[in-house]
Amino acid sequence: MKKRLVSIMLTAAICVSSLAGCGSKPQETTAPAPDAATEAPAAETGGDDAEAPAASGDKLTVAVSIRSMSSEYHMQYVAGAQAFIDSLPEGTAELQVLPCESNDDKQINDIKALIASKGDNMILFVDPNNAPNITSIAELCEEAGVYWVSAWNTPEGINPMSYKYWVAHQACDGVQQGYDLAVNIFDRFEEPGKGKILVLEGMLANTANVERMEGLNKALEEYPDIEVLDDQAGDWDTKKALSITETWLAKYDDIDGIWCASDDMALGVVQALKAKGLDKQVLVTGNDGTTDAVNAVESGEITVTIANNGWLQGGYGVAYAYAAKTGKLDPSSMKPEERMFYTNGIVITGDNVADYKKEYVDSTPVYDYEDLSFPVARPMDVK
């Protein structure tokens, strides 16, 4: 898998360089399985847009807009998109990666430049740097006739149902993740279901944090003998998490667990616990499934993390856009629950970490991109 990601990163670097020349400044979660109403629609015969994208002789550009190529999770998106391309007949499509480096304007301008270069001979998968970017991206794609799929961030009231070319929106089920993290440590306490915890949130207004906290609170309602000693915002930052935990350890003597909303913060917590000789004694959660966190689960320093599975999200993200581009899907005939849905993450504990590494670290997961219902865990509430 490491060799695979290096190859993809080199390919991505070449693609980014070519864009600059175009003038740019540029155990699984237990969410319920989808029923018949949430499954993706069967393939349909397309209308005017059903022409094969490579009919002109040019390869279809499969673009992936991400926050950074240094993000392990976002590079899973890229690997998933490449896996989808590899599933097509040779010569059908090529990958273009657009890293915005956490800059909203750059994300929008890079997409705009690529559309100016490729026209509608492209599809797009986007993880918006911030939710407001969605509106600008939707307008650009609508005007150019570019089919696209988004992940994670979208403003309330803005969704695919108002657009022809915005095929679908997906995100991990953060509520389920927060719940699963909590239950996995509560049940492992010396006295199962009873203990004292500290809570380390991410950015307070961030959608993923809000949902994961909702899941934690759901678990706390089910476990009345769990006491929350304190709740702080670590802003997804390892150093801040380290500092907060050092303060906590100086204040509290009796701690059973520390619930963290992300792996980066969990790694800071582990550093602080190690300095006090408390690592592996205080149970710690993470979330995201980064390599360092997975290794920490294997060593017992982190009790549980959840991989968001960017391979699945990126691969099926472009698969949905491609199906619409080639006329196999008609977004206008899809139901809201088919166009906005949650995907499952992968709960990783000491019990299954070896199996996880074998499938997702030592090799690349393989999916059947013809089965568009596969990634759907449950529909989102359309607001």
Side-chain angles (χ1 to χ4, degrees):
M1 181 60 198
K2 291 180 180 178
K3 291 181 179 178
R4 174 74 169 167
L5 282 178
V6 169
S7 173
I8 289 170
M9 290 181 75
L10 290 173
T11 302
I14 294 171
C15 292
V16 171
S17 175
S18 68
L19 175 60
C22 295
S24 168
K25 295 181 180 179
Q27 133 208 352
E28 289 195 348
T29 54
T30 55
D35 56 25
T38 65
E39 290 185 358
E44 300 180 14
T45 303
D48 295 338
D49 297 309
E51 180 183 358
S56 64
D58 295 331
K59 290 182 180 179
L60 177 73
T61 296
V62 177
V64 179
S65 177
I66 56 176
R67 185 168 295 114
S68 174
M69 290 174 66
S70 64
S71 166
E72 183 178 338
Y73 171 48
H74 288 168
M75 289 309 295
Q76 289 176 8
Y77 286 154
V78 175
Q82 184 62 59
F84 171 75
I85 291 172
D86 292 344
S87 74
L88 300 174
E90 186 174 357
T92 300
E94 60 187 359
L95 181 67
Q96 179 91 60
V97 183
L98 307 176
C100 72
E101 305 306 334
S102 301
N103 184 307
D104 290 342
D105 289 338
K106 186 177 189 306
Q107 182 169 57
I108 294 167
N109 288 336
D110 281 356
I111 293 170
K112 184 177 182 179
L114 187 62
I115 290 175
S117 172
K118 302 295 183 179
D120 66 355
N121 191 34
M122 61 174 284
I123 57 175
L124 177 66
F125 172 77
V126 182
D127 184 342
N129 187 55
N130 280 299
N133 289 15
I134 279 283
T135 304
S136 296
I137 294 168
E139 290 173 355
L140 287 170
C141 291
E142 199 72 9
E143 183 178 354
V146 172
Y147 289 100
W148 66 293
V149 170
S150 57
W152 288 105
N153 292 315
T154 185
E156 186 172 341
I158 307 296
N159 59 60
M161 272 60 69
S162 301
Y163 297 88
K164 176 180 179 181
Y165 293 95
W166 185 359
V167 183
H169 177 75
Q170 59 171 305
C172 277
D173 190 343
V175 177
Q176 188 67 45
Q177 289 183 336
Y179 176 86
D180 286 342
L181 292 175
V183 169
N184 264 278
I185 58 170
F186 295 171
D187 287 342
R188 285 179 166 83
F189 287 161
E190 184 173 344
E191 188 174 347
K194 186 174 183 178
K196 298 178 181 180
I197 68 167
L198 295 157
V199 175
L200 197 55
E201 300 190 43
M203 292 182 175
L204 295 180
N206 186 276
T207 301
N209 182 71
V210 172
E211 291 184 349
R212 291 170 191 171
M213 283 298 297
E214 184 179 340
L216 168 61
N217 288 326
K218 177 183 175 183
L220 289 170
E221 289 178 2
E222 295 179 9
Y223 288 75
D225 292 327
I226 300 295
E227 178 184 354
V228 178
L229 299 173
D230 196 11
D231 181 333
Q232 297 285 333
D235 295 335
W236 311 123
D237 185 76
T238 301
K239 291 182 179 179
K240 188 169 183 178
L242 170 62
S243 177
I244 290 171
T245 307
E246 287 174 337
T247 301
W248 277 340
L249 295 179
K251 183 177 181 180
Y252 301 105
D253 295 324
D254 186 12
I255 305 168
D256 296 290
I258 301 180
W259 183 98
C260 296
S262 80
D263 285 346
D264 286 343
M265 294 190 299
L267 293 168
V269 169
V270 168
Q271 290 181 45
L273 291 173
K274 279 184 175 180
K276 292 291 186 179
L278 295 173
D279 53 307
K280 303 182 183 180
Q281 297 179 43
V282 176
L283 305 190
V284 180
T285 77
N287 199 105
D288 296 329
T290 65
T291 297
D292 287 342
V294 171
N295 289 337
V297 170
E298 191 170 38
S299 69
E301 294 166 336
I302 291 178
T303 306
V304 56
T305 186
I306 299 178
N308 292 327
N309 198 348
W311 296 283
L312 178 141
Q313 292 175 313
Y316 279 97
V318 296
Y320 265 79
Y322 185 80
K325 175 67 176 174
T326 55
K328 294 180 180 179
L329 281 183
D330 177 7
S332 65
S333 68
M334 294 166 64
K335 299 176 183 177
E337 60 266 26
E338 295 166 341
R339 298 180 73 178
M340 295 188 72
F341 56 84
Y342 289 108
T343 60
N344 275 333
I346 304 166
V347 178
I348 307 167
T349 68
D351 297 330
N352 69 342
V353 65
D355 291 336
Y356 174 83
K357 292 184 75 171
K358 181 178 180 180
E359 183 172 356
Y360 293 93
V361 178
D362 299 334
S363 60
T364 303
V366 177
Y367 297 108
D368 176 8
Y369 297 112
E370 293 293 321
D371 180 7
L372 294 179
S373 67
F374 180 79
V376 180
R378 67 178 177 91
M380 292 185 184
D381 294 327
V382 180
K383 299 178 181 180

